Amino acid sequence: RKEVEQDPGPFNVPEGATVAFNCTYSNSASQSFFWYRQDCRKEPKLLMSVYSSGNEDGRFTAQLNRASQYISLLIRDSKLSDSATYLCVVPSGGSYIPTFGRGTSLIVHP
Amino acid sequence: GAVVSQHPSWVICKSGTSVKIECRSLDFQATTMFWYRQFPKQSLMLMATSNEGSKATYEQGVEKDKFLINHASLTLSTLTVTSAHPEDSSFYICSAWIGGSSPLHFGNGTRLTVT
């Protein structure tokens, strides 16, 4: 099993839709989790940090399920500007190096 | 806070020349810095992990003699692409990590074009 796995998508949704992505991880001892957003030809930008069961920021909600070892990102009322690649990052390995998933592509259309 | 400056933002060079990319953490000290490469429409690929004062750890398939990494201080890491070829054209991004449960902080990236 890969250390961090994401469904690459693309997820193609209309404006206003609610969409959710999952990210599974293999290191059960991981304590901190992050969602990043990457726009085309740009660097990743931190979207949300998750240290306990979850986190909410406006239209974005991140949830952590330790038992099943996955984190999710829920986007409500999708906007065109939400179109991007969403990357999850989980500390992995013996040194807990932040490790990226391959990213999930979201396309929000009018 | 937590600003990472990467320079240059873009560079065009001739085949055979070397290019140096700098990554600086401006307002914090980074235990570790990471270097990534991203080709168009592909995922971010980790090239190497570098810690201040020690040799970088390269990912499988990344040539350490071609991609020289120097981590001179807790705020500066450099990546030198030696004898660049057109296939080295890519988007190179660095990130800095304080350690523990802190997130990664990214530089703006360097777009390298080798002609």
Side-chain angles (χ1 to χ4, degrees):
Chain A
R1 180 181 181 181
K2 289 184 182 176
E3 293 186 12
V4 184
E5 289 196 71
Q6 292 183 255
D7 180 346
F11 284 65
N12 207 318
V13 304
E15 268 187 292
T18 295
V19 62
F21 317 130
N22 279 347
C23 170
T24 58
Y25 60 94
S26 60
N27 188 344
S28 60
S30 297
Q31 296 293 317
S32 53
F33 308 84
F34 308 95
W35 281 102
Y36 284 77
R37 169 198 170 122
Q38 186 179 25
D39 292 289
C40 189
R41 300 168 72 88
K42 298 279 190 182
E43 78 280 14
K45 292 192 185 296
L46 181 64
L47 183 63
M48 297 186 81
S49 304
V50 185
Y51 296 109
S52 55
S53 61
N55 194 4
E56 185 172 329
D57 183 6
R59 297 183 294 110
F60 298 84
T61 301
Q63 290 195 311
L64 169 62
N65 185 316
R66 289 192 188 275
S68 301
Q69 291 182 211
Y70 73 85
I71 56 172
S72 62
L73 179 67
L74 179 80
I75 305 175
R76 289 180 294 276
D77 188 23
S78 300
K79 311 291 184 192
L80 296 177
S81 57
D82 293 334
S83 298
T85 297
Y86 291 84
L87 303 157
C88 77
V89 175
V90 181
S92 300
S95 302
Y96 295 96
I97 298 289
T99 302
F100 279 90
R102 294 179 66 83
T104 298
S105 176
L106 171 66
I107 301 169
V108 181
H109 59 81
Chain B
V3 176
V4 176
S5 171
Q6 186 174 339
H7 180 80
S9 297
W10 58 270
V11 58
I12 301 172
C13 69
K14 290 184 187 277
S15 190
T17 60
S18 294
V19 175
K20 181 187 277 190
I21 303 170
E22 285 191 355
C23 181
R24 290 181 186 271
S25 56
L26 297 184
D27 50 2
F28 66 100
Q29 292 185 327
T31 304
T32 306
M33 289 190 176
F34 302 93
W35 287 95
Y36 306 84
R37 180 169 54 180
Q38 188 171 35
F39 293 106
K41 297 188 189 291
Q42 293 191 22
S43 307
L44 214 57
M45 295 300 296
L46 179 65
M47 297 175 68
T49 300
S50 87
N51 293 292
E52 181 260 344
S54 61
K55 289 185 179 179
T57 302
Y58 290 81
E59 295 299 301
Q60 194 172 8
V62 178
E63 299 174 57
K64 62 180 181 181
D65 294 329
K66 179 168 182 63
F67 298 100
L68 301 178
I69 291 173
N70 185 292
H71 198 147
S73 72
L74 286 172
T75 60
L76 174 63
S77 177
T78 61
L79 168 69
T80 302
V81 183
T82 62
S83 187
H85 290 283
E87 57 266 30
D88 298 323
S89 299
S90 188
F91 189 46
Y92 292 86
I93 312 174
C94 71
S95 71
W97 186 45
I98 296 170
S101 59
S102 63
L104 294 171
H105 302 287
F106 285 87
N108 291 339
T110 297
R111 195 158 302 282
L112 171 64
T113 302
V114 185
T115 60

